[in-house]
């Protein structure tokens, strides 16, 4: 599926939407987790696969707002975003 109107941040070519597995370090630095089925962007020209800024912010905000001890070593993206939070919003994001 082509990502409408998006171009690669590295080479400027057209990109497609993708779904991938990523590895993320927890905010407290104690460990990293594996997150499956994360929306991403794939460039067929240069081969870069990455997440757009909105997805990155969703993951980082969720990890800042929840009890990270409750996260298993491996989790689905949607499941992660549905886990209970301590706070309603990330007050460190301005």
């Amino acid at each position: 599926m082509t990502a409408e109107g998006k171009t690669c941040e590295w080479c400027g070519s057209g990109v497609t939407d993708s779904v991938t597995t990523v590895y993320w370090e927890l905010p407290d630095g104690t460990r990293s987790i594996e997150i499956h089925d994360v929306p991403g962007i794939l460039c067929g020209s240069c081969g870069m696969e990455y997440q757009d800024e909105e997805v990155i912010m969703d993951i980082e905000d969720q990890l800042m707002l929840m009890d990270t001890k409750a996260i298993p070593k491996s989790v689905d993206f949607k499941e992660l975003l549905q886990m209970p939070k301590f706070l309603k919003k990330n007050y460190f994001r301005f």
Side-chain angles (χ1 to χ4, degrees):
M1 172 189 314
T2 302
E4 285 291 320
K6 291 184 182 179
T7 58
C8 178
E9 293 180 15
W10 280 266
C11 74
S13 297
V15 295
T16 57
D17 291 325
S18 69
V19 178
T20 188
T21 297
V22 299
Y23 300 88
W24 219 273
E25 184 176 350
L26 297 179
D28 62 7
T30 56
R31 64 188 174 105
S32 62
I33 59 171
E34 181 179 59
I35 309 171
H36 300 281
D37 299 324
V38 180
I41 298 169
L42 175 63
C43 178
S45 294
C46 71
M48 291 300 295
E49 187 169 19
Y50 58 95
Q51 282 63 49
D52 68 16
E53 201 60 37
E54 184 178 336
V55 172
I56 292 169
M57 286 176 57
D58 287 346
I59 293 171
E60 289 181 351
D61 284 349
Q62 179 67 9
L63 294 176
M64 286 290 295
L65 301 174
M66 64 180 294
D67 177 11
T68 56
K69 293 179 183 85
I71 305 172
K73 291 180 181 181
S74 183
V75 65
D76 182 76
F77 176 70
K78 289 180 183 175
E79 181 184 342
L80 174 68
L81 295 184
Q82 293 174 354
M83 290 181 164
K85 301 174 185 167
F86 287 138
L87 300 171
K88 292 184 183 200
K89 127 180 200 176
N90 183 351
Y91 296 98
F92 296 106
R93 191 166 309 279
F94 302 104

